[in-house]
Amino acid sequence: MSPIRAAVLPSVGSPLEITGIELPEPGPGQVRVRLAAAGVCHSDLSLSNGTMRLPVPAVLGHEGAGTVVSVGEGVDHVAPGDEVVLNWAPSCGNCHPCSLGEVWLCANALAGAANIHARTEDGRELHPGLNVAAFAEETVVAANCLLPVPDGVPLTDAALLGCAVLTGWGAIHHSARVREGESVAVFGVGGVGLATLQAARIAGASTIVAVDVSPEKEELARAAGATEYVVASETTAREIRKLTGGHGVDVAVECVGRAVTIRTAWDSTRRGGRTTVVGIGGKDQQVTFNALEIFHWGRTLAGCVYGNSNPAVDLPVLAEHIRTGRLDPGALVTERITLDGIPGAFDNMLAGKGGRALVIFP
């Protein structure tokens, strides 16, 4: 078959190459998908700069949706023509976390990242960055990396369900378990942060504070559900307490992955409050607490992987919110680009500009 175009990471720290690759036909248990759209997520940037370590060279991209082109032997739950969402972290069902029902912590979820996915036109072997290699016109994935697009959800919106929306929804509903009337602060108004703000609004949060370094994001944040907007500074925690009667918010969700932001999110919660960390930070980001404050404040700090979600269970719930208009995945998108625009989208993420960039395939 003719080469397809893809965004390839040659090595950690190298610029992305938008180039042709040779993609094999699906083998047993595999499916070939033509992409309709793919979101550009901060996790892709974390792979490119080495914050997250997976085999390279690789085709990046993990948040996408498209149409099944062909299936390999033994695949019977999808067929050519089916519209599907890519699930970059499929659960194996056999490891210890899966046995506990914690499928988002599956020990084998990223085993496929070590596979040989494709080759460049000059013969270099390529891995699938986060299992699904969505930054390409077409991809071949394991059949368990696919979920049906729910009825009534456009493919371009469905692409965002595969990471940003599931993560933001799960941070609010599964990790922090926000109750109606509680107050919430969301740190970082990118794609995941905007999804988190929408989820907090759907949960019935009262005061919803959005925090970001950029004053330009206030309109985006308020459209997503924020009732207050704070430009990040050394006084952020104090400002949030002032907005909540001097107490602090019930829940803070950190979507940045920086030590100072995690610490500020913790400081912004009330006594007994909950902080959920969604952002992926590097090993150099050390967060410190003293023993007395942990006792005195009685707060909880929790990590959150993929929104602590079970995609097979959560996607139908999200779809119903989309159909009724309560949830709008398209509102996360501030830029629609082609494959060639991905390096620029990376630059915008580094600069803290915009929400989600969405690659639209012809």
Side-chain angles (χ1 to χ4, degrees):
M1 297 184 68
S2 301
I4 61 166
R5 299 183 75 232
V8 173
L9 177 69
S11 60
V12 172
S14 297
L16 285 180
E17 298 176 356
I18 311 301
T19 186
I21 67 170
E22 301 283 353
L23 190 66
E25 289 302 315
Q30 293 184 322
V31 180
R32 187 174 182 127
V33 177
R34 180 179 299 113
L35 272 297
V40 183
C41 178
H42 209 282
S43 296
D44 300 306
L45 184 61
S46 295
L47 283 175
S48 73
N49 63 25
T51 299
M52 294 174 65
R53 292 283 185 176
L54 287 173
V56 292
V59 178
L60 297 187
H62 64 281
E63 180 184 81
T67 304
V68 173
V69 175
S70 56
V71 302
E73 182 184 348
V75 177
D76 56 13
H77 74 286
V78 294
D82 288 354
E83 294 184 343
V84 290
V85 178
L86 301 181
N87 174 16
W88 62 270
S91 57
C92 70
N94 298 314
C95 67
H96 184 59
C98 285
S99 74
L100 298 174
E102 298 173 351
V103 297
W104 55 91
L105 297 179
C106 175
N108 301 307
L110 291 177
N115 294 341
I116 303 303
H117 172 72
R119 283 177 170 78
T120 60
E121 292 179 280
D122 61 6
R124 285 178 296 160
E125 293 180 338
L126 299 172
H127 300 279
L130 278 169
N131 278 334
V132 295
F135 288 168
E137 293 168 332
E138 296 187 7
T139 187
V140 172
V141 301
N144 65 348
C145 287
L146 299 177
L147 293 164
V149 171
D151 291 340
V153 179
L155 270 176
T156 50
D157 285 350
L160 299 163
L161 296 179
C163 184
V165 176
L166 265 176
T167 299
W169 172 265
I172 291 293
H173 291 270
H174 299 319
S175 179
R177 299 186 180 183
V178 173
R179 299 180 289 269
E180 186 174 358
E182 289 192 309
S183 54
V184 176
V186 177
F187 289 76
V189 184
V192 172
L194 289 168
T196 304
L197 289 168
Q198 288 200 43
R201 172 178 46 77
I202 292 170
S206 52
T207 301
I208 304 175
V209 186
V211 183
D212 198 274
V213 295
S214 171
E216 286 76 28
K217 291 187 179 182
E218 180 171 359
E219 185 177 346
L220 268 177
R222 289 189 181 275
T227 61
E228 310 289 343
Y229 192 82
V230 173
V231 178
S233 70
E234 293 181 355
T235 63
T236 294
R238 193 182 313 156
E239 291 180 60
I240 290 175
R241 286 196 294 272
K242 187 182 295 185
L243 291 169
T244 52
H247 305 293
V249 290
D250 297 298
V251 170
V253 181
E254 200 273 358
C255 303
V256 181
R258 296 182 61 229
V260 65
T261 318
I262 295 169
R263 179 71 222 203
T264 303
W266 163 276
D267 289 337
S268 299
T269 60
R270 64 169 175 83
R271 197 174 186 188
R274 290 117 55 206
T275 299
T276 287
V277 178
V278 172
I280 301 172
K283 293 180 180 179
D284 61 325
Q285 297 292 314
Q286 299 291 317
V287 188
T288 59
F289 307 91
N290 67 60
L292 181 60
E293 70 174 315
I294 291 173
F295 162 77
H296 172 77
W297 288 103
R299 295 164 171 156
T300 57
L301 177 69
C304 181
V305 178
Y306 204 5
N308 293 8
S309 293
N310 181 340
V313 173
D314 288 324
L315 250 60
V317 175
L318 293 172
E320 182 59 23
H321 285 300
I322 293 170
R323 286 191 290 264
T324 58
R326 291 188 292 267
L327 177 65
D328 181 9
L332 278 58
V333 179
T334 54
E335 186 180 18
R336 285 171 168 79
I337 60 175
T338 65
L339 270 175
D340 297 289
I342 295 175
F346 275 21
D347 291 340
N348 286 339
M349 280 192 291
L350 284 169
K353 295 179 180 178
R356 207 40 139 219
L358 188 67
V359 180
I360 304 295
F361 294 91

